Amino acid sequence: QAGYDAWLGRRALTDKDQVSSLTDWASRIIAEESDECIRTAAYELTETITAWTGRRPDNAVPADGGGCLRIGTFQGCSEVASAFSEVEMSAVQADGFRLRRAGQSIIIAGSTGRGVLYGAFALLRLIKTGERLNELDELSNPANGLRLINEWDNVDGSIERGYAGRSIFYAEGEVVPDLSRVRDYARLLASVGINGIVVNNVNVHREETLFLSERYLPRIADMANVFRAYGIRLYLSINFAAPIEMGGLATADPLEEAVRTWWKDRVKEVYKWIPDFGGFLVKADSEFRPGPFTYGRDHADGANMLAEALAPYGGIVVWRCFVYNCKQDWRDRKTDRARAAYDHFTPLDGRFRDNVVLQVKNGPMDFQVREPVSPLFGAMPHTNMLIEFQVTQEYTGQQRHLCYLVPQWKEALDFDTHARGEGSTIKKVADGSLFGRPLGGFAAVSNVGDDANWTGHPLAQANLYGYGRLAWNPELAADRIAEEWIKQTFGDHDRVIKTLLAMLMSSWSLYESYTSPLGVGWMVKPNHHYGPDVDGYEYSMWGTYHFADCYGIGVDRSVRTGTGYASQYHRPHSERFESAETTPDELLLFFHHVPYTHRLHSGKTVIQHIYDSHFEGVKGSEALAEQWEGLKGLIDHDIFEQGRSRLQEQIEHAKEWRDVINTYFWRKSGIADEHGRTIY
Ligand code: BDP
């Protein structure tokens, strides 16, 4: 099962020094508390150390002077507490941990069992990435309270926008009987700090609506038990019309008493089965999903009704802001999908209950390879917010192409909204600190399925890994995360590390180079979104246009002559994006309609940039494949073959993109390539 162990593989350590440095403390693991996460931590440490060293640690308390690995909480274990001062202990937040070398021993300490579990995975990561532990003394707290993963799995076993096989959770209308793979997934998630999982698709169909009933709750509770052992709370996506579809009521009006009571009863039932249930994720009034608009109510009415039902149990409502008119007239150049979330939600600022958190996609459109950040971040100071990323590569190569997305996410997180002056970055909006919000964090759509290696493309695992690491600590650099992942997954061979690091770090801009240019987006085949089709979405109702004609291309979102979207940002961005001169090249066509002869800051014209980047994209893809060839014999044979065939497909596909895009714009513009290359 090549790739199944992902970054948690337990191959024996080859470095003799490293093995002997472990034996002084790792031959005994002392965990005295009965907390479930601590038991999981002890199990993970025991199994991994056994596999690494060939010796199974015991749990006998060492005689004076002997070393051990002691794990526990400050409150529950006096030996743990005595290794730290009051100040040191109080610095550890709920999910945080401390690791410390104390004489011959190592201590993993948390204020909760979950923190101890994260500390255990952190210690294993340090060892596997070759850190020496002599001076070990580390404090780590997560930046974000909510670190969620969203599964878009349906109970029939299909996965919306899934590119790695079928669901690991469901088959043929049931939760799978054997949850061992779900458990292995929980391990992967916990190892990078994920603490919540939404186990069904945001598009809740008829069957999944019944997840709230006894038809499904017993098995969903089984899943919750699996996740609980790894510190992960289970959440469900719900259908806003469930009171009608499942409850037989005549309405789902959130202000109707019978509807409110119906939800309260349902919530009570859910908590009977799952006492630590996380809450509901809701996609309402979006892409044909029902919502409060049907009853003339707004999204605060809808969210607050659910929040009220969940509040007594400590549950939350995660309410998505992906709300726009998906039946608009393409001839209308003033209606702008990019504006929609801001226009819908900012008037509601301050009206959401404290246990509601809005889930906002990183960009205003939909997970394109390049978009500006959503202006909602920074526009709702009285509202909790999560940033939503798409780990599954819907618009970024569908796990056939290599596209390491951490650099893209970093750009969004580091963006300064200027909402409270300089330094008002999106990561501070998400973690709640900028506006002093009680809830906040990250959510992301997962990229796993039942393919043996989880993600189809073997290197796509880096995106799942990177997402979790970033949710824990958004300050981590993209290349550092990549390197950690490579070392844990492929070992410490220098050439392997260097090659894979270079491949990963160049992949996002490479993918951008041969797909849709300069931020315009959407030149993909409709529905499945794989491969080039310049006009595929141009004359349809989804609000996704490029307006290319024989003179120029791009969407005018300025205030002066366009849709006014640019004004949704704070200054200086609103001013920067207002003019083509000050808009960064990579976003030019997102904000402006310009002639093909418009000169970019790079010095090239728009049309020449299109030609050049698409020719370079093919070359870059060929270079990737060559780099990979250099790994032959240095990495697992099956993984090598998996990567090789995907990289070949990437080359062929990059050529298709090049030819379709270049030909289209050559014919439209009539402007020849300066370098006289063949364009069909
Ligand atoms: C789009 C997907 C669609 C999802 C939607 C969403 O194409 O399948 O249902 O996002 O996020 O990217 O709700």
Side-chain angles (χ1 to χ4, degrees), residues 152 160-161 201-203 283 286-287 320 322 361 366-367 388 390 394-395 527 529:
W152 283 1
E160 182 152 338
R161 312 306 179 188
N201 189 358
V202 287
N203 295 316
K283 173 176 179 177
S286 165
E287 299 182 336
R320 292 178 91 228
F322 186 59
K361 290 189 181 185
D366 191 10
F367 301 134
E388 177 178 342
Q390 198 182 40
E394 177 178 1
Y395 294 98
N527 307 318
H529 301 159

Side-chain angles (χ1 to χ4, degrees), residues 8 15 17:
L8 294 181
D15 179 344
D17 288 351

Side-chain angles (χ1 to χ4, degrees), residues 91 188 207 228 345 355 487 506 522 551 626:
L188 292 176
E207 199 55 26
R228 185 177 306 110
F345 284 95
N355 63 330
K487 286 181 175 167
S506 64
W522 297 108
Y551 307 108
E626 246 164 68

Side-chain angles (χ1 to χ4, degrees), residues 441-504:
F442 284 27
V445 187
S446 176
N447 62 350
V448 310
D450 72 353
D451 277 5
N453 70 2
W454 301 92
T455 52
H457 200 304
L459 301 184
Q461 286 181 3
N463 286 328
L464 184 64
Y465 179 86
Y467 166 67
R469 295 289 287 141
L470 217 49
W472 185 277
N473 180 6
E475 304 302 329
L476 291 175
D479 55 355
R480 147 120 195 243
I481 293 176
E483 191 170 333
E484 271 184 7
W485 175 77
I486 296 164
K487 286 181 175 167
Q488 291 172 85
T489 308
F490 292 96
D492 57 3
H493 194 291
D494 214 41
R495 183 142 116 233
V496 175
I497 296 170
K498 286 213 177 83
T499 304
L500 290 176
L501 189 58
M503 289 178 71
L504 289 170

